Amino acid sequence: MTSNTHADYRLSQLDQLEAESIHIFREVAAEFEKPVLMFSGGKDSIVMLRLAEKAFYPAKIPFPVLQVDTGLDFDEVLETRDNWVNRLGLRMIVASVEEAIEKGIVVDDGKTSRNRLQIGTLLNTIEEEGFTAAFGGGRRDEEKARAKERVYSHRDDFGQWDPKNQRPELWSLYNGRIHGGEHMRIFPLSNWTELDIWDYIHREEIEIPSIYFAHEREVVRRDGMLLSVSDAVVPKESEQTETLTVRFRTVGDKSQTGCVESTAKTTAEIIDEIAIAKVTERGATRGDDRFSEAAMEDRKKEGYF
Amino acid sequence: MDLLRFATAGSVDDGKSTLIGRLLLDSKAIFEDQLEAVESTSQSRGYDYTDLALLTDGLRSEREQGITIDVAYRYFATPKRKFIIADTPGHVQYTRNMVTGASTADLGLVLVDARQGLTEQSRRHAVLLSLLRVPHLVLAVNKMDLVDYDQATFDKIHEEFTSFATKLSIPDLEIIPISAKLGDNVVKRSENMPWYDGQSLMHHLENVHVASDRDLVDTRFPVQYVVRPKSDEFHDYRGYAGQVAGGVLKPGDEVVVLPSGLTSKIAGIDLFDHEITEAYPPMSVTVRLEDDVDVSRGDMIARVNNAPKPSQDIDAMICWMTNEPLRPRQKLAIKHTTRTGRAMVKDIQYRLDVNTLHRDQDTKELALNEIGRVQLRTTVPLLCDPYSKNRTTGSFILIDEATGVTVGAGMINSGS
């Protein structure tokens, strides 16, 4: 256990970030009728869950978690997700993209990525369940469009974000007012960077999916990315598969998320690797951000995290 | 490693975005794919240099117009510190964005163009940072390369600004000659200005002492949330969760709960699953009391002989943030620490001209981006301190009850 008491009354950057995030969780739990935490089983959402655990301890986390099941999630991620949910005794709602397609809530035209289909599925579940606040693991350092996102990000009754009409956010005074049908996206990790997340996982010895660590995997090179061969990624005749030592920096759906060659087997080794990384985690491994410089902004306006 | 939050103010012309791009680039916070995107955009626009400003202009409309219209947050770290930059637009029509960025800053960075000297805009930025009680201010005199690194030019600006700053409340001021474009005095001391014997901007940012800026004397603990597990293991547990806003809390301290005035002693302070011996700002902790007193969200725990007086008549400086002006008799929702209530505008005493510090007493209203001294009457007593003493217990926001939008930011002078 780390000591958080210092003779000179200074807090380390991780302790300051932790205190800020815990404050946000408690504000939302106090002021919103029906919050939910978006839990993908990825590292950022796991850190969120850990912070929520701390915010309400020894009481249980007073809201459920919601996972959008793309049908293309990595097994290792689902396993870790279940471990966390069971350990904390949480209610988990699974919003299935497959089901949403069957019900005609979203349309799979064969060209749209699962990540984009998540938007409709997610918004539909928020509306059906009547959630008024949804915690997301987005960080401002991820992408330029996110740099201006508020901690409390207001969504209209179509679930859309209007970047030009955001509420001013001052001090740590968050404004949670919404009208019926609207909801608020809450980003408790706004001020964390990728390195902070890893430092925290390392310090707190947090369980994360095994695919974040180096392992051998059959991959295929496609559009400059290394994709894991699976039912979602079937090599074309012109493509050659290779077995490489890789790890994932983000864990989205299997058809879109690439891995990187790496030998980092521990959190400490990952931290060393990130400290000298030359490409952002999204730039390296997320096909869905690569189409245009404004790709993220477009998806955010539609209601993507 | 600790954390420094700083706000930058300035317009495109001052080279602010270039400076931030330079800090990110030189501290290696910029990745190859980000740099490549910026290089290709610069090329497609026909620039013969890489426009570092493109790194920080996030939203598409801003990239197209070439201006920064909202607060953007940027992150970088050196081996010594992690930095959070609140990058704000400089023009007067974005005063509210600057106020927003400055509200959480430990340090404010104002840029001037060495060729232009002090402008109305740079004075306004200093006024706003001082009003928001940002304890450290850096004036970066930029584009020194364009005045041949001339000492006399710098000295003139230095003298003019120092004399202006005496009218403001700026506890710590540093003035540094730089060239953001070429990197002089940004990370490394410049060889082009041997007459300057101060430190580089980065060196100052890494070393400026901010821990003592927080109030460690006057104990203030706004209760955010009551933790009651009601589980078998923690059947009788009742803890008051919150973020310390001032002072140092210790087990055994005699405390008073406001506004009820009931007293008790701190039985223990919990941080997750372990007890701690001290809690101080900005820690988020859970406090247990020895007695079973009634405490709920919105209450405040303070010391018996050092507690704020519950006040419903509030005298404050308000920055107005919406198109429809603020007028006397107007009713608004108010959020102060963890307390929410309603407020009525009793009087607008004056409008402050943030360029000249002139007080316009004939004003009848405050328009968008204007700042003025206002008297409010609140439905619930606020447990407040002057903003000059505590930026957490001295600040509030005003919310339009119909739209739910944050329309005003308040800094308390006094309450009664």
Side-chain angles (χ1 to χ4, degrees):
Chain A
M1 195 58 63
T2 52
S3 166
N4 292 78
T5 309
H6 302 256
D8 59 353
Y9 300 112
R10 273 204 228 188
L11 285 186
S12 73
Q13 116 269 14
L14 280 187
D15 287 330
Q16 285 197 48
L17 292 171
E18 179 187 74
E20 178 182 276
S21 301
I22 288 174
H23 173 81
I24 293 163
F25 274 112
R26 289 167 173 170
E27 277 302 284
V28 173
E31 290 199 320
F32 285 87
E33 223 167 290
K34 225 180 155 188
V36 67
L37 186 145
M38 310 291 307
F39 188 56
S40 66
K43 67 181 192 321
D44 299 310
S45 69
I46 287 175
V47 166
M48 268 209 300
L49 206 51
R50 170 68 168 181
L51 292 162
E53 180 188 10
K54 288 194 173 193
F56 304 105
Y57 188 88
K60 272 210 290 198
I61 295 173
F63 39 78
V65 297
L66 168 66
Q67 197 224 355
V68 181
D69 176 9
T70 60
L72 294 170
D73 298 295
F74 290 95
D75 292 340
E76 294 88 341
V77 176
L78 296 179
E79 190 189 315
T80 308
R81 177 198 74 182
D82 291 343
N83 288 348
W84 271 91
V85 169
N86 293 335
R87 184 173 71 75
L88 297 175
L90 300 174
R91 181 165 85 93
M92 179 166 70
I93 299 148
V94 178
S96 157
V97 174
E98 293 289 341
E99 268 177 42
I101 293 169
E102 277 168 31
K103 288 185 189 161
I105 295 162
V106 295
V107 178
D108 185 6
D109 57 6
K111 284 179 275 183
T112 313
S113 85
R114 283 288 157 124
N115 246 324
R116 283 191 90 110
L117 294 176
Q118 282 186 54
I119 299 170
T121 310
L122 170 68
L123 292 177
N124 182 61
T125 308
I126 287 175
E127 198 179 308
E128 265 184 15
E129 296 267 344
F131 290 122
T132 53
F135 293 101
R139 311 189 315 265
R140 289 186 185 135
D141 80 320
E142 279 179 89
E143 216 274 343
K144 272 201 274 190
R146 278 194 169 151
K148 302 189 177 191
E149 178 99 58
R150 306 294 191 255
V151 173
Y152 276 34
S153 181
H154 182 254
R155 300 301 156 108
D156 64 17
D157 40 8
F158 295 99
Q160 296 189 73
W161 180 56
D162 180 359
K164 278 192 161 173
N165 197 18
Q166 299 193 81
R167 295 176 178 177
E169 199 160 75
L170 299 111
W171 299 288
S172 50
L173 289 169
Y174 301 107
N175 173 3
R177 300 248 168 166
I178 49 168
H179 293 105
E182 299 174 343
H183 72 278
M184 201 71 91
R185 296 290 169 87
I186 314 283
F187 298 104
L189 303 180
S190 287
N191 286 325
W192 296 59
T193 61
E194 186 187 11
L195 195 53
D196 294 326
I197 294 285
W198 281 109
D199 280 338
Y200 195 69
I201 289 169
H202 180 67
R203 183 182 95 170
E204 306 273 316
E205 297 175 2
I206 291 173
E207 183 201 348
I208 55 168
S210 57
I211 60 171
Y212 281 111
F213 300 101
H215 58 282
E216 284 205 341
R217 185 173 283 268
E218 192 182 14
V219 294
V220 60
R221 287 181 202 272
R222 191 178 289 174
D223 304 330
M225 290 198 300
L226 285 178
L227 293 177
S228 170
V229 174
S230 69
D231 50 342
V233 181
V234 181
K236 296 168 196 157
E237 260 178 47
S238 58
E239 291 174 328
Q240 283 199 331
T241 64
E242 327 168 48
T243 301
L244 298 174
T245 303
V246 297
R247 66 178 199 87
F248 288 85
R249 285 178 75 184
T250 67
V251 291
D253 82 60
K254 283 189 272 192
S255 68
Q256 291 284 323
T257 308
C259 46
V260 291
E261 284 192 74
S262 166
T263 54
K265 285 195 156 63
T266 63
T267 49
E269 285 168 10
I270 289 173
I271 289 165
D272 286 345
E273 194 181 277
I274 291 168
I276 55 164
K278 292 196 173 82
V279 182
T280 58
E281 57 184 9
R282 284 190 169 269
T285 61
R286 290 295 270 266
D288 41 359
D289 286 338
R290 294 160 57 118
F291 298 112
S292 81
E293 221 198 326
M296 175 73 101
E297 191 180 332
D298 290 338
R299 274 182 300 140
K300 282 184 66 65
K301 280 183 185 164
E302 291 174 35
Y304 181 77
F305 267 91
Chain B
M1 188 158 81
D2 69 352
L3 180 64
L4 181 84
R5 294 172 197 255
F6 70 97
T8 55
S11 62
V12 179
D13 312 332
D14 302 324
K16 179 195 59 166
S17 296
T18 310
L19 175 62
I20 293 175
R22 169 68 58 191
L23 286 171
L24 298 179
L25 195 65
D26 287 358
S27 64
K28 301 183 176 60
I30 285 171
F31 293 100
E32 273 177 5
D33 53 334
Q34 291 173 309
L35 193 60
E36 276 166 20
V38 165
E39 277 169 353
S40 76
T41 309
S42 298
Q43 261 181 5
S44 70
R45 289 192 188 175
Y47 301 155
D48 56 0
Y49 61 98
T50 301
D51 186 0
L52 295 176
L54 293 168
L55 284 165
T56 58
D57 294 341
L59 301 174
R60 182 185 288 166
S61 57
E62 295 174 29
R63 282 199 299 277
E64 283 161 4
Q65 294 166 36
I67 52 158
T68 312
I69 54 168
D70 202 341
V71 186
Y73 294 89
R74 303 286 157 200
Y75 303 84
F76 69 99
T78 67
K80 276 200 151 165
R81 259 191 180 152
K82 167 177 170 148
F83 298 92
I84 301 179
I85 312 175
D87 180 14
T88 70
H91 295 108
V92 68
Q93 65 265 38
Y94 303 118
T95 296
R96 66 174 197 150
N97 306 82
M98 196 178 154
V99 167
T100 301
S103 72
T104 51
D106 306 304
L107 180 146
L109 176 62
V110 175
L111 265 99
V112 297
D113 183 331
R115 295 169 304 174
Q116 315 260 317
L118 284 192
T119 58
E120 183 178 279
Q121 178 152 303
S122 39
R123 288 194 185 87
R124 184 176 67 251
H125 294 159
V127 167
L128 291 173
L129 289 165
S130 151
L131 197 67
L132 270 291
R133 297 273 165 179
V134 178
H136 307 273
L137 193 145
V138 175
L139 180 75
V141 181
N142 192 21
K143 306 196 184 181
M144 286 301 292
D145 53 312
L146 299 181
V147 295
D148 298 325
Y149 301 105
D150 176 40
Q151 182 179 6
T153 307
F154 175 74
D155 285 348
K156 185 169 165 284
I157 295 171
H158 189 292
E159 194 183 324
E160 206 184 333
F161 190 80
T162 313
S163 118
F164 175 69
T166 56
K167 294 187 228 167
L168 307 173
S169 164
I170 300 171
D172 171 40
L173 171 66
E174 195 73 26
I175 304 179
I176 306 175
I178 65 164
S179 164
K181 199 169 139 201
L182 303 178
D184 293 282
N185 285 335
V186 176
V187 173
K188 286 196 200 124
R189 285 278 308 274
S190 167
E191 285 169 14
N192 295 317
M193 290 174 271
W195 45 265
Y196 172 70
D197 56 8
Q199 52 200 336
S200 74
L201 176 62
M202 183 72 98
H203 187 269
H204 181 64
L205 294 175
E206 280 186 321
N207 292 287
V208 62
H209 188 64
V210 291
S212 56
D213 295 338
R214 297 184 190 276
D215 179 355
L216 294 172
V217 176
D218 308 294
T219 299
R220 302 287 186 264
F221 186 74
V223 175
Q224 246 192 310
Y225 190 87
V226 181
V227 178
R228 293 204 63 185
K230 295 178 196 160
S231 59
D232 292 342
E233 195 186 344
F234 297 97
H235 191 265
D236 295 321
Y237 187 97
R238 189 183 174 90
Y240 306 107
Q243 189 165 23
V244 183
V248 181
L249 289 87
K250 296 187 180 86
D253 281 354
E254 287 192 30
V255 293
V256 59
V257 180
L258 299 172
S260 71
L262 295 170
T263 57
S264 184
K265 266 188 186 172
I266 295 180
I269 305 171
D270 298 328
L271 186 70
F272 187 37
D273 59 358
H274 56 289
E275 284 197 49
I276 55 173
T277 53
E278 288 182 308
Y280 49 91
M283 290 169 72
S284 281
V285 297
T286 304
V287 172
R288 285 174 284 113
L289 298 181
E290 284 187 357
D291 306 283
D292 194 10
V293 291
D294 183 28
V295 184
S296 52
R297 174 175 167 85
D299 291 354
M300 181 182 281
I301 293 172
R303 296 302 300 273
V304 174
N305 295 317
N306 179 350
K309 197 173 96 197
S311 311
Q312 282 180 270
D313 289 296
I314 306 296
D315 176 300
M317 297 303 288
I318 286 176
C319 174
W320 193 243
M321 303 185 148
T322 195
N323 287 318
E324 187 65 23
L326 176 77
R327 297 194 176 94
R329 313 285 309 160
Q330 198 165 333
K331 293 181 185 69
L332 298 144
I334 185 167
K335 186 171 181 186
H336 170 261
T337 63
T338 56
R339 223 156 221 258
T340 313
R342 301 182 74 208
M344 192 188 69
V345 179
K346 280 186 6 197
D347 187 29
I348 300 174
Q349 212 173 320
Y350 61 79
R351 187 181 62 81
L352 182 74
D353 185 324
V354 289
N355 295 319
T356 61
L357 293 177
H358 174 74
R359 297 171 176 186
D360 173 11
Q361 314 229 353
D362 299 326
T363 192
K364 298 282 185 294
E365 54 183 44
L366 288 183
L368 172 66
N369 288 311
E370 289 187 342
I371 292 172
R373 187 165 175 179
V374 175
Q375 269 73 45
L376 298 173
R377 171 82 186 170
T378 58
T379 52
V380 294
L382 302 189
L383 310 164
C384 61
D385 293 294
Y387 185 74
S388 56
K389 238 178 103 191
N390 188 315
R391 289 170 82 187
T392 305
T393 57
S395 56
F396 60 83
I397 55 170
L398 296 169
I399 299 163
D400 182 302
E401 293 189 293
T403 62
V405 171
T406 305
V407 291
M411 291 148 281
I412 296 169
N413 296 321
S414 63
S416 56

